[in-house]
Amino acid sequence: MVTVSETDLIRVGRIDFVNSDPVYHGIETGEVEGDMRLVEGFPAALNGMLERGEVDIAPISSIEYARNSEEYYLLPDLSVSSRAEVGSVSLFSSVPAEDLDGATVALASTSATSVVLLKILLDEKYEVSPDYTVREPDAREMLSEADAGLVIGDHALLAARDDSIDAYVYDLGHEWREHTDERFVYAVWAVRNDVPREDALSVAEALQESKRAGYDSLDVIASELAEGMGLNVEYAERYLRMLDHDFTPAHRRGLKKYYEKAERIGELEEVPEITVKE
């Protein structure tokens, strides 16, 4: 059983991409108090850390929650989602997507949810069956070894601004919205079942307050993002405004549709219940 005291703070994962910056902004600036210890990692790494008990709560890949839903419950009003275009989940391809049948597609080792999303879209929307391989998330290197490459997070943001990469670029958030008319949920905040509900909801309250502070300061976050990654400030703010960190019934509807399609292509054994403790 996880207990929380002054010397034993609850361990909360933090995605090591800027797409979660608005959620943690208030806590990291000190505007919001939160009795927690933040542990950073890429999405795929946080999946394993939560499963092994190295963190108590974490934003994990949506597909990871589905595969282990009996072990976790979800925090309310928190996700990493997009209404349509997302800007940081992209397929870079040397040929149009409809020509990828039998081609080689490299998948980012840092991703899980987006990998399944891409497989759904290529199967259903473009009706192609590529051969998949896993690579480090470098679009240029991927395209030197494969016909296309899926890149996520900060790596995708930088690749999209790299004029030396000559490729067709498919934003998977836009592709999903066009295909289903639903928003897409990339990550959810999951809690191990052995974490007391009152402790988890205390963390949830702090993160929600921190998120509100973050949304009030998107211009500040965008400026820091632009400086840190060498991006145009307007582009950085536009990217942040593409993101959506809520978890409403509409989000859950889109997530359930994703799970149904993942089951259809054999990436899930069954569609899980989406269990949120409020």
Side-chain angles (χ1 to χ4, degrees):
M1 179 72 69
V2 175
T3 59
V4 180
S5 68
E6 290 183 0
T7 58
D8 185 20
L9 296 177
I10 197 163
R11 301 160 299 172
V12 179
R14 189 209 195 286
I15 299 174
D16 196 14
F17 287 144
V18 297
N19 62 16
S20 65
D21 282 4
V23 173
Y24 294 94
H25 179 78
I27 290 172
E28 293 178 332
T29 59
E31 297 173 59
V32 176
E33 291 186 5
D35 291 331
M36 64 187 79
R37 177 163 63 88
L38 298 182
V39 181
E40 290 194 346
F42 290 133
L46 289 176
N47 295 345
M49 292 169 72
L50 188 68
E51 183 179 10
R52 293 188 297 271
E54 295 169 8
V55 293
D56 307 303
I57 299 172
I60 63 170
S61 304
S62 296
I63 196 69
E64 181 71 9
Y65 169 72
R67 290 168 175 160
N68 296 279
S69 61
E70 293 183 355
E71 306 298 323
Y72 306 137
Y73 59 93
L74 301 182
L75 294 186
D77 301 325
L78 289 166
S79 74
V80 178
S81 303
S82 68
R83 300 169 191 85
E85 185 181 3
V86 64
S88 55
V89 180
S90 301
L91 179 70
F92 294 81
S93 181
S94 59
V95 298
E98 54 266 29
D99 294 337
L100 286 173
D101 196 46
T104 301
V105 174
L107 304 172
S109 59
T110 50
S111 177
T113 294
S114 301
V115 164
V116 177
L117 173 59
L118 176 64
K119 290 179 178 180
I120 290 168
L121 291 169
L122 291 182
D123 180 76
E124 290 189 1
K125 186 176 182 184
Y126 292 100
E127 300 181 337
V128 295
S129 298
D131 293 321
Y132 294 104
T133 183
V134 177
R135 293 287 184 270
E136 291 299 305
D138 185 309
R140 188 183 295 104
E141 287 296 319
M142 286 174 161
L143 289 172
S144 72
E145 301 174 1
D147 299 291
L150 171 66
V151 187
I152 71 165
D154 299 2
H155 304 103
L157 279 177
L158 292 172
R161 310 298 287 177
D162 188 342
D163 293 335
S164 69
I165 298 176
D166 182 19
Y168 295 88
V169 182
Y170 296 87
D171 182 294
L172 297 198
H174 169 80
E175 294 289 314
W176 173 259
R177 185 74 189 206
E178 191 173 79
H179 185 55
T180 66
D181 199 32
E182 300 283 359
R183 65 189 68 206
F184 193 80
V185 179
Y186 302 90
V188 288
W189 266 256
V191 187
R192 290 173 56 88
N193 284 336
D194 57 0
V195 176
R197 180 174 179 271
E198 59 271 23
D199 292 339
L201 292 183
S202 176
V203 169
E205 184 177 348
L207 289 175
Q208 289 157 12
E209 187 178 349
S210 180
K211 178 179 73 171
R212 288 190 288 272
Y215 271 81
D216 287 340
S217 303
L218 279 184
D219 57 338
V220 174
I221 299 173
S223 179
E224 294 172 350
L225 167 59
E227 182 178 356
M229 296 183 64
L231 301 173
N232 177 279
V233 174
E234 290 75 17
Y235 174 76
E237 184 163 354
R238 177 174 173 267
Y239 166 64
L240 290 171
R241 293 191 184 281
M242 292 178 193
L243 299 173
D244 174 1
H245 296 92
D246 297 331
F247 198 41
T248 67
H251 292 78
R252 298 174 203 181
R253 184 180 67 237
L255 184 57
K256 183 178 180 183
K257 181 167 288 189
Y258 167 66
Y259 289 157
E260 290 169 348
K261 292 180 179 298
E263 181 189 39
R264 189 191 65 76
I265 65 168
E267 290 289 339
L268 283 179
E269 292 185 2
E270 61 181 1
V271 177
E273 291 294 324
I274 300 173
T275 305
V276 182
K277 296 288 181 70
E278 300 189 71

